[in-house]
Amino acid sequence: MKRAQRFFDDYGSQAIILARFVSILRTFVPFIIGMTHFNHRRFIIANLVGAVIWGVALPSMGYALGRIPLISNHVEIVCLCIVLISILPLVFKAFTSWLSRSEEIETK
């Protein structure tokens, strides 16, 4: 919990906004933030900003991209690319955490 507290003290608002775009994080970040006693006002503001970005930017981008024949003719591939791109930061973070833990074990 202390580690989560420090993380959300440093990156809480950004984490709330970005969690909107990664389904598993969208589910758990608000719950964990509540457990860390994150500032309620900051949570509401970041959540509203994330909702506006999610609710305005994504449909607008989908509309614009859907008018491009190359994209509209290959929707499945585009969706797969979006999913892969959205999980890359999580995979990268997990890998770097794993590396740092293995280095700590080797130095002991």
mmCIF file of all heavy atoms in Angstrom, residues 52-96:
data_model
loop_
_atom_site.group_PDB
_atom_site.id
_atom_site.type_symbol
_atom_site.label_atom_id
_atom_site.label_comp_id
_atom_site.label_asym_id
_atom_site.label_seq_id
_atom_site.Cartn_x
_atom_site.Cartn_y
_atom_site.Cartn_z
ATOM 1 N N VAL A 52 -13.989 13.081 -20.662
ATOM 2 C CA VAL A 52 -14.153 13.966 -21.818
ATOM 3 C C VAL A 52 -13.233 13.525 -22.958
ATOM 4 O O VAL A 52 -13.669 13.438 -24.109
ATOM 5 C CB VAL A 52 -13.887 15.443 -21.426
ATOM 6 C CG1 VAL A 52 -13.764 16.328 -22.642
ATOM 7 C CG2 VAL A 52 -15.001 15.935 -20.516
ATOM 8 N N ILE A 53 -11.978 13.227 -22.615
ATOM 9 C CA ILE A 53 -11.052 12.769 -23.654
ATOM 10 C C ILE A 53 -11.568 11.472 -24.272
ATOM 11 O O ILE A 53 -11.611 11.321 -25.492
ATOM 12 C CB ILE A 53 -9.633 12.586 -23.079
ATOM 13 C CG1 ILE A 53 -9.051 13.937 -22.688
ATOM 14 C CG2 ILE A 53 -8.730 11.883 -24.092
ATOM 15 C CD1 ILE A 53 -7.758 13.844 -21.902
ATOM 16 N N TRP A 54 -11.970 10.536 -23.426
ATOM 17 C CA TRP A 54 -12.472 9.235 -23.891
ATOM 18 C C TRP A 54 -13.742 9.417 -24.725
ATOM 19 O O TRP A 54 -13.897 8.806 -25.775
ATOM 20 C CB TRP A 54 -12.746 8.358 -22.680
ATOM 21 C CG TRP A 54 -13.303 7.018 -22.989
ATOM 22 C CD1 TRP A 54 -14.618 6.641 -22.912
ATOM 23 C CD2 TRP A 54 -12.602 5.854 -23.417
ATOM 24 N NE1 TRP A 54 -14.759 5.330 -23.253
ATOM 25 C CE2 TRP A 54 -13.534 4.808 -23.577
ATOM 26 C CE3 TRP A 54 -11.267 5.594 -23.681
ATOM 27 C CZ2 TRP A 54 -13.176 3.543 -23.984
ATOM 28 C CZ3 TRP A 54 -10.918 4.319 -24.073
ATOM 29 C CH2 TRP A 54 -11.864 3.321 -24.232
ATOM 30 N N GLY A 55 -14.647 10.255 -24.252
ATOM 31 C CA GLY A 55 -15.954 10.397 -24.889
ATOM 32 C C GLY A 55 -15.993 11.308 -26.100
ATOM 33 O O GLY A 55 -16.897 11.201 -26.919
ATOM 34 N N VAL A 56 -15.019 12.183 -26.242
ATOM 35 C CA VAL A 56 -14.997 13.096 -27.383
ATOM 36 C C VAL A 56 -13.909 12.702 -28.382
ATOM 37 O O VAL A 56 -14.163 12.575 -29.573
ATOM 38 C CB VAL A 56 -14.798 14.557 -26.917
ATOM 39 C CG1 VAL A 56 -14.604 15.476 -28.095
ATOM 40 C CG2 VAL A 56 -15.978 15.009 -26.066
ATOM 41 N N ALA A 57 -12.724 12.497 -27.886
ATOM 42 C CA ALA A 57 -11.593 12.248 -28.783
ATOM 43 C C ALA A 57 -11.715 10.922 -29.525
ATOM 44 O O ALA A 57 -11.497 10.872 -30.740
ATOM 45 C CB ALA A 57 -10.282 12.296 -28.002
ATOM 46 N N LEU A 58 -12.055 9.865 -28.821
ATOM 47 C CA LEU A 58 -12.087 8.560 -29.482
ATOM 48 C C LEU A 58 -13.172 8.448 -30.546
ATOM 49 O O LEU A 58 -12.885 7.992 -31.656
ATOM 50 C CB LEU A 58 -12.204 7.444 -28.453
ATOM 51 C CG LEU A 58 -10.922 7.201 -27.654
ATOM 52 C CD1 LEU A 58 -11.117 6.067 -26.672
ATOM 53 C CD2 LEU A 58 -9.759 6.916 -28.557
ATOM 54 N N PRO A 59 -14.411 8.843 -30.271
ATOM 55 C CA PRO A 59 -15.395 8.779 -31.353
ATOM 56 C C PRO A 59 -15.040 9.701 -32.528
ATOM 57 O O PRO A 59 -15.244 9.332 -33.684
ATOM 58 C CB PRO A 59 -16.701 9.217 -30.696
ATOM 59 C CG PRO A 59 -16.511 8.933 -29.255
ATOM 60 C CD PRO A 59 -15.052 9.161 -28.993
ATOM 61 N N SER A 60 -14.497 10.873 -32.232
ATOM 62 C CA SER A 60 -14.095 11.787 -33.302
ATOM 63 C C SER A 60 -12.979 11.185 -34.139
ATOM 64 O O SER A 60 -12.993 11.265 -35.376
ATOM 65 C CB SER A 60 -13.633 13.125 -32.723
ATOM 66 O OG SER A 60 -14.679 13.728 -32.009
ATOM 67 N N MET A 61 -12.020 10.564 -33.469
ATOM 68 C CA MET A 61 -10.932 9.926 -34.182
ATOM 69 C C MET A 61 -11.450 8.744 -35.005
ATOM 70 O O MET A 61 -11.031 8.548 -36.149
ATOM 71 C CB MET A 61 -9.881 9.442 -33.177
ATOM 72 C CG MET A 61 -8.511 9.320 -33.747
ATOM 73 S SD MET A 61 -7.252 9.144 -32.468
ATOM 74 C CE MET A 61 -7.601 7.524 -31.842
ATOM 75 N N GLY A 62 -12.360 7.976 -34.435
ATOM 76 C CA GLY A 62 -12.951 6.856 -35.169
ATOM 77 C C GLY A 62 -13.698 7.317 -36.407
ATOM 78 O O GLY A 62 -13.606 6.709 -37.475
ATOM 79 N N TYR A 63 -14.435 8.404 -36.264
ATOM 80 C CA TYR A 63 -15.168 8.957 -37.403
ATOM 81 C C TYR A 63 -14.203 9.395 -38.508
ATOM 82 O O TYR A 63 -14.382 9.074 -39.679
ATOM 83 C CB TYR A 63 -16.030 10.137 -36.952
ATOM 84 C CG TYR A 63 -16.750 10.806 -38.090
ATOM 85 C CD1 TYR A 63 -17.904 10.240 -38.628
ATOM 86 C CD2 TYR A 63 -16.275 11.997 -38.631
ATOM 87 C CE1 TYR A 63 -18.568 10.851 -39.685
ATOM 88 C CE2 TYR A 63 -16.933 12.613 -39.682
ATOM 89 C CZ TYR A 63 -18.075 12.041 -40.208
ATOM 90 O OH TYR A 63 -18.726 12.638 -41.251
ATOM 91 N N ALA A 64 -13.165 10.119 -38.109
ATOM 92 C CA ALA A 64 -12.203 10.620 -39.097
ATOM 93 C C ALA A 64 -11.445 9.470 -39.759
ATOM 94 O O ALA A 64 -11.280 9.451 -40.986
ATOM 95 C CB ALA A 64 -11.223 11.587 -38.435
ATOM 96 N N LEU A 65 -10.999 8.518 -38.966
ATOM 97 C CA LEU A 65 -10.243 7.402 -39.530
ATOM 98 C C LEU A 65 -11.128 6.483 -40.365
ATOM 99 O O LEU A 65 -10.666 5.863 -41.317
ATOM 100 C CB LEU A 65 -9.552 6.613 -38.422
ATOM 101 C CG LEU A 65 -8.426 7.344 -37.700
ATOM 102 C CD1 LEU A 65 -7.917 6.508 -36.530
ATOM 103 C CD2 LEU A 65 -7.296 7.683 -38.652
ATOM 104 N N GLY A 66 -12.403 6.380 -40.013
ATOM 105 C CA GLY A 66 -13.327 5.542 -40.765
ATOM 106 C C GLY A 66 -13.582 6.039 -42.166
ATOM 107 O O GLY A 66 -14.076 5.304 -43.022
ATOM 108 N N ARG A 67 -13.256 7.265 -42.430
ATOM 109 C CA ARG A 67 -13.440 7.838 -43.766
ATOM 110 C C ARG A 67 -12.251 7.548 -44.679
ATOM 111 O O ARG A 67 -12.287 7.870 -45.859
ATOM 112 C CB ARG A 67 -13.680 9.334 -43.645
ATOM 113 C CG ARG A 67 -14.956 9.630 -42.818
ATOM 114 C CD ARG A 67 -15.168 11.086 -42.697
ATOM 115 N NE ARG A 67 -15.461 11.597 -44.034
ATOM 116 C CZ ARG A 67 -16.466 12.378 -44.342
ATOM 117 N NH1 ARG A 67 -17.277 12.770 -43.396
ATOM 118 N NH2 ARG A 67 -16.663 12.793 -45.578
ATOM 119 N N ILE A 68 -11.205 6.951 -44.124
ATOM 120 C CA ILE A 68 -10.024 6.582 -44.915
ATOM 121 C C ILE A 68 -10.227 5.142 -45.387
ATOM 122 O O ILE A 68 -10.334 4.224 -44.568
ATOM 123 C CB ILE A 68 -8.738 6.710 -44.075
ATOM 124 C CG1 ILE A 68 -8.576 8.149 -43.590
ATOM 125 C CG2 ILE A 68 -7.524 6.242 -44.871
ATOM 126 C CD1 ILE A 68 -7.466 8.341 -42.575
ATOM 127 N N PRO A 69 -10.298 4.924 -46.699
ATOM 128 C CA PRO A 69 -10.607 3.583 -47.207
ATOM 129 C C PRO A 69 -9.662 2.482 -46.720
ATOM 130 O O PRO A 69 -10.113 1.386 -46.388
ATOM 131 C CB PRO A 69 -10.518 3.741 -48.723
ATOM 132 C CG PRO A 69 -10.760 5.194 -48.971
ATOM 133 C CD PRO A 69 -10.198 5.909 -47.786
ATOM 134 N N LEU A 70 -8.382 2.748 -46.659
ATOM 135 C CA LEU A 70 -7.432 1.737 -46.210
ATOM 136 C C LEU A 70 -7.766 1.255 -44.796
ATOM 137 O O LEU A 70 -7.705 0.062 -44.500
ATOM 138 C CB LEU A 70 -5.998 2.281 -46.263
ATOM 139 C CG LEU A 70 -4.904 1.329 -45.790
ATOM 140 C CD1 LEU A 70 -4.800 0.135 -46.746
ATOM 141 C CD2 LEU A 70 -3.582 2.054 -45.685
ATOM 142 N N ILE A 71 -8.144 2.179 -43.946
ATOM 143 C CA ILE A 71 -8.476 1.832 -42.562
ATOM 144 C C ILE A 71 -9.854 1.182 -42.476
ATOM 145 O O ILE A 71 -10.034 0.166 -41.815
ATOM 146 C CB ILE A 71 -8.368 3.081 -41.662
ATOM 147 C CG1 ILE A 71 -6.903 3.508 -41.575
ATOM 148 C CG2 ILE A 71 -8.931 2.810 -40.273
ATOM 149 C CD1 ILE A 71 -6.661 4.783 -40.846
ATOM 150 N N SER A 72 -10.843 1.755 -43.151
ATOM 151 C CA SER A 72 -12.197 1.203 -43.052
ATOM 152 C C SER A 72 -12.308 -0.186 -43.682
ATOM 153 O O SER A 72 -13.155 -0.978 -43.283
ATOM 154 C CB SER A 72 -13.218 2.154 -43.689
ATOM 155 O OG SER A 72 -12.971 2.301 -45.075
ATOM 156 N N ASN A 73 -11.429 -0.513 -44.620
ATOM 157 C CA ASN A 73 -11.446 -1.840 -45.232
ATOM 158 C C ASN A 73 -10.690 -2.883 -44.413
ATOM 159 O O ASN A 73 -10.765 -4.070 -44.715
ATOM 160 C CB ASN A 73 -10.858 -1.779 -46.645
ATOM 161 C CG ASN A 73 -11.747 -0.991 -47.590
ATOM 162 O OD1 ASN A 73 -12.958 -0.896 -47.381
ATOM 163 N ND2 ASN A 73 -11.149 -0.413 -48.610
ATOM 164 N N HIS A 74 -9.953 -2.446 -43.401
ATOM 165 C CA HIS A 74 -9.169 -3.363 -42.565
ATOM 166 C C HIS A 74 -9.414 -3.073 -41.081
ATOM 167 O O HIS A 74 -8.468 -2.976 -40.295
ATOM 168 C CB HIS A 74 -7.682 -3.238 -42.894
ATOM 169 C CG HIS A 74 -7.364 -3.581 -44.305
ATOM 170 N ND1 HIS A 74 -7.331 -2.645 -45.313
ATOM 171 C CD2 HIS A 74 -7.087 -4.763 -44.884
ATOM 172 C CE1 HIS A 74 -7.037 -3.236 -46.443
ATOM 173 N NE2 HIS A 74 -6.893 -4.533 -46.226
ATOM 174 N N VAL A 75 -10.664 -2.985 -40.689
ATOM 175 C CA VAL A 75 -11.031 -2.616 -39.320
ATOM 176 C C VAL A 75 -10.455 -3.599 -38.300
ATOM 177 O O VAL A 75 -9.988 -3.194 -37.232
ATOM 178 C CB VAL A 75 -12.568 -2.519 -39.178
ATOM 179 C CG1 VAL A 75 -12.975 -2.323 -37.739
ATOM 180 C CG2 VAL A 75 -13.095 -1.394 -40.030
ATOM 181 N N GLU A 76 -10.481 -4.892 -38.612
ATOM 182 C CA GLU A 76 -9.993 -5.892 -37.667
ATOM 183 C C GLU A 76 -8.517 -5.681 -37.348
ATOM 184 O O GLU A 76 -8.101 -5.745 -36.187
ATOM 185 C CB GLU A 76 -10.189 -7.313 -38.210
ATOM 186 C CG GLU A 76 -11.632 -7.675 -38.472
ATOM 187 C CD GLU A 76 -12.118 -7.246 -39.851
ATOM 188 O OE1 GLU A 76 -11.305 -6.766 -40.670
ATOM 189 O OE2 GLU A 76 -13.324 -7.388 -40.095
ATOM 190 N N ILE A 77 -7.729 -5.424 -38.368
ATOM 191 C CA ILE A 77 -6.292 -5.208 -38.170
ATOM 192 C C ILE A 77 -6.055 -3.930 -37.370
ATOM 193 O O ILE A 77 -5.212 -3.890 -36.474
ATOM 194 C CB ILE A 77 -5.553 -5.173 -39.521
ATOM 195 C CG1 ILE A 77 -5.657 -6.546 -40.190
ATOM 196 C CG2 ILE A 77 -4.099 -4.753 -39.351
ATOM 197 C CD1 ILE A 77 -5.166 -6.584 -41.613
ATOM 198 N N VAL A 78 -6.817 -2.885 -37.683
ATOM 199 C CA VAL A 78 -6.678 -1.622 -36.964
ATOM 200 C C VAL A 78 -7.021 -1.818 -35.486
ATOM 201 O O VAL A 78 -6.296 -1.341 -34.601
ATOM 202 C CB VAL A 78 -7.563 -0.522 -37.593
ATOM 203 C CG1 VAL A 78 -7.589 0.728 -36.735
ATOM 204 C CG2 VAL A 78 -7.075 -0.200 -39.001
ATOM 205 N N CYS A 79 -8.110 -2.540 -35.194
ATOM 206 C CA CYS A 79 -8.500 -2.797 -33.798
ATOM 207 C C CYS A 79 -7.428 -3.596 -33.070
ATOM 208 O O CYS A 79 -7.107 -3.306 -31.911
ATOM 209 C CB CYS A 79 -9.834 -3.516 -33.734
ATOM 210 S SG CYS A 79 -11.219 -2.469 -34.194
ATOM 211 N N LEU A 80 -6.872 -4.589 -33.722
ATOM 212 C CA LEU A 80 -5.805 -5.384 -33.119
ATOM 213 C C LEU A 80 -4.585 -4.513 -32.821
ATOM 214 O O LEU A 80 -3.986 -4.621 -31.737
ATOM 215 C CB LEU A 80 -5.423 -6.539 -34.040
ATOM 216 C CG LEU A 80 -4.380 -7.507 -33.518
ATOM 217 C CD1 LEU A 80 -4.848 -8.164 -32.227
ATOM 218 C CD2 LEU A 80 -4.082 -8.557 -34.561
ATOM 219 N N CYS A 81 -4.240 -3.632 -33.741
ATOM 220 C CA CYS A 81 -3.119 -2.713 -33.516
ATOM 221 C C CYS A 81 -3.383 -1.781 -32.339
ATOM 222 O O CYS A 81 -2.488 -1.521 -31.532
ATOM 223 C CB CYS A 81 -2.828 -1.903 -34.773
ATOM 224 S SG CYS A 81 -2.096 -2.882 -36.097
ATOM 225 N N ILE A 82 -4.597 -1.300 -32.225
ATOM 226 C CA ILE A 82 -4.949 -0.415 -31.101
ATOM 227 C C ILE A 82 -4.796 -1.150 -29.785
ATOM 228 O O ILE A 82 -4.248 -0.612 -28.814
ATOM 229 C CB ILE A 82 -6.376 0.142 -31.282
ATOM 230 C CG1 ILE A 82 -6.407 1.131 -32.441
ATOM 231 C CG2 ILE A 82 -6.870 0.791 -29.998
ATOM 232 C CD1 ILE A 82 -7.808 1.554 -32.860
ATOM 233 N N VAL A 83 -5.274 -2.378 -29.721
ATOM 234 C CA VAL A 83 -5.146 -3.170 -28.489
ATOM 235 C C VAL A 83 -3.676 -3.397 -28.157
ATOM 236 O O VAL A 83 -3.253 -3.219 -27.011
ATOM 237 C CB VAL A 83 -5.900 -4.508 -28.625
ATOM 238 C CG1 VAL A 83 -5.566 -5.441 -27.478
ATOM 239 C CG2 VAL A 83 -7.395 -4.262 -28.693
ATOM 240 N N LEU A 84 -2.898 -3.780 -29.139
ATOM 241 C CA LEU A 84 -1.470 -4.025 -28.899
ATOM 242 C C LEU A 84 -0.749 -2.762 -28.437
ATOM 243 O O LEU A 84 0.055 -2.803 -27.502
ATOM 244 C CB LEU A 84 -0.809 -4.593 -30.163
ATOM 245 C CG LEU A 84 -1.229 -6.008 -30.535
ATOM 246 C CD1 LEU A 84 -0.631 -6.404 -31.877
ATOM 247 C CD2 LEU A 84 -0.848 -6.990 -29.451
ATOM 248 N N ILE A 85 -1.050 -1.652 -29.082
ATOM 249 C CA ILE A 85 -0.412 -0.388 -28.690
ATOM 250 C C ILE A 85 -0.824 0.010 -27.276
ATOM 251 O O ILE A 85 -0.008 0.513 -26.501
ATOM 252 C CB ILE A 85 -0.744 0.727 -29.701
ATOM 253 C CG1 ILE A 85 -0.013 0.447 -31.011
ATOM 254 C CG2 ILE A 85 -0.386 2.101 -29.160
ATOM 255 C CD1 ILE A 85 -0.465 1.318 -32.168
ATOM 256 N N SER A 86 -2.067 -0.251 -26.912
ATOM 257 C CA SER A 86 -2.532 0.155 -25.583
ATOM 258 C C SER A 86 -1.932 -0.683 -24.468
ATOM 259 O O SER A 86 -1.810 -0.206 -23.336
ATOM 260 C CB SER A 86 -4.059 0.131 -25.516
ATOM 261 O OG SER A 86 -4.531 -1.195 -25.562
ATOM 262 N N ILE A 87 -1.542 -1.929 -24.757
ATOM 263 C CA ILE A 87 -0.948 -2.743 -23.695
ATOM 264 C C ILE A 87 0.574 -2.684 -23.676
ATOM 265 O O ILE A 87 1.196 -3.148 -22.727
ATOM 266 C CB ILE A 87 -1.428 -4.208 -23.749
ATOM 267 C CG1 ILE A 87 -0.978 -4.883 -25.017
ATOM 268 C CG2 ILE A 87 -2.912 -4.301 -23.518
ATOM 269 C CD1 ILE A 87 -1.204 -6.378 -25.031
ATOM 270 N N LEU A 88 1.193 -2.104 -24.695
ATOM 271 C CA LEU A 88 2.652 -2.014 -24.729
ATOM 272 C C LEU A 88 3.244 -1.320 -23.496
ATOM 273 O O LEU A 88 4.234 -1.808 -22.954
ATOM 274 C CB LEU A 88 3.121 -1.324 -26.002
ATOM 275 C CG LEU A 88 3.227 -2.220 -27.232
ATOM 276 C CD1 LEU A 88 3.641 -1.400 -28.451
ATOM 277 C CD2 LEU A 88 4.178 -3.357 -27.013
ATOM 278 N N PRO A 89 2.698 -0.202 -23.026
ATOM 279 C CA PRO A 89 3.278 0.415 -21.827
ATOM 280 C C PRO A 89 3.235 -0.512 -20.612
ATOM 281 O O PRO A 89 4.170 -0.529 -19.809
ATOM 282 C CB PRO A 89 2.417 1.665 -21.592
ATOM 283 C CG PRO A 89 1.829 1.964 -22.914
ATOM 284 C CD PRO A 89 1.642 0.648 -23.598
ATOM 285 N N LEU A 90 2.169 -1.298 -20.481
ATOM 286 C CA LEU A 90 2.084 -2.231 -19.359
ATOM 287 C C LEU A 90 3.123 -3.337 -19.477
ATOM 288 O O LEU A 90 3.773 -3.698 -18.495
ATOM 289 C CB LEU A 90 0.689 -2.855 -19.289
ATOM 290 C CG LEU A 90 -0.460 -1.907 -19.008
ATOM 291 C CD1 LEU A 90 -1.782 -2.651 -19.085
ATOM 292 C CD2 LEU A 90 -0.288 -1.270 -17.659
ATOM 293 N N VAL A 91 3.291 -3.857 -20.673
ATOM 294 C CA VAL A 91 4.286 -4.899 -20.902
ATOM 295 C C VAL A 91 5.688 -4.348 -20.640
ATOM 296 O O VAL A 91 6.509 -4.992 -19.983
ATOM 297 C CB VAL A 91 4.166 -5.460 -22.340
ATOM 298 C CG1 VAL A 91 5.310 -6.391 -22.674
ATOM 299 C CG2 VAL A 91 2.826 -6.154 -22.516
ATOM 300 N N PHE A 92 5.950 -3.159 -21.120
ATOM 301 C CA PHE A 92 7.260 -2.526 -20.910
ATOM 302 C C PHE A 92 7.533 -2.328 -19.425
ATOM 303 O O PHE A 92 8.610 -2.642 -18.928
ATOM 304 C CB PHE A 92 7.340 -1.189 -21.654
ATOM 305 C CG PHE A 92 8.639 -0.474 -21.470
ATOM 306 C CD1 PHE A 92 9.783 -0.908 -22.130
ATOM 307 C CD2 PHE A 92 8.721 0.620 -20.628
ATOM 308 C CE1 PHE A 92 10.997 -0.255 -21.948
ATOM 309 C CE2 PHE A 92 9.920 1.274 -20.445
ATOM 310 C CZ PHE A 92 11.056 0.838 -21.104
ATOM 311 N N LYS A 93 6.557 -1.825 -18.696
ATOM 312 C CA LYS A 93 6.725 -1.590 -17.264
ATOM 313 C C LYS A 93 6.930 -2.902 -16.515
ATOM 314 O O LYS A 93 7.780 -2.996 -15.624
ATOM 315 C CB LYS A 93 5.512 -0.836 -16.700
ATOM 316 C CG LYS A 93 5.580 -0.576 -15.226
ATOM 317 C CD LYS A 93 6.778 0.256 -14.849
ATOM 318 C CE LYS A 93 6.779 0.522 -13.360
ATOM 319 N NZ LYS A 93 8.078 0.929 -12.861
ATOM 320 N N ALA A 94 6.159 -3.921 -16.864
ATOM 321 C CA ALA A 94 6.322 -5.218 -16.216
ATOM 322 C C ALA A 94 7.719 -5.778 -16.485
ATOM 323 O O ALA A 94 8.366 -6.319 -15.583
ATOM 324 C CB ALA A 94 5.249 -6.182 -16.706
ATOM 325 N N PHE A 95 8.188 -5.641 -17.714
ATOM 326 C CA PHE A 95 9.514 -6.141 -18.070
ATOM 327 C C PHE A 95 10.607 -5.393 -17.320
ATOM 328 O O PHE A 95 11.523 -6.011 -16.771
ATOM 329 C CB PHE A 95 9.726 -6.043 -19.584
ATOM 330 C CG PHE A 95 11.050 -6.562 -20.039
ATOM 331 C CD1 PHE A 95 11.320 -7.931 -20.008
ATOM 332 C CD2 PHE A 95 12.028 -5.700 -20.497
ATOM 333 C CE1 PHE A 95 12.546 -8.418 -20.419
ATOM 334 C CE2 PHE A 95 13.256 -6.181 -20.912
ATOM 335 C CZ PHE A 95 13.525 -7.540 -20.875
ATOM 336 N N THR A 96 10.529 -4.067 -17.267
ATOM 337 C CA THR A 96 11.558 -3.298 -16.567
ATOM 338 C C THR A 96 11.518 -3.569 -15.066
ATOM 339 O O THR A 96 12.564 -3.615 -14.425
ATOM 340 C CB THR A 96 11.435 -1.788 -16.843
ATOM 341 O OG1 THR A 96 10.131 -1.340 -16.495
ATOM 342 C CG2 THR A 96 11.720 -1.481 -18.309
#
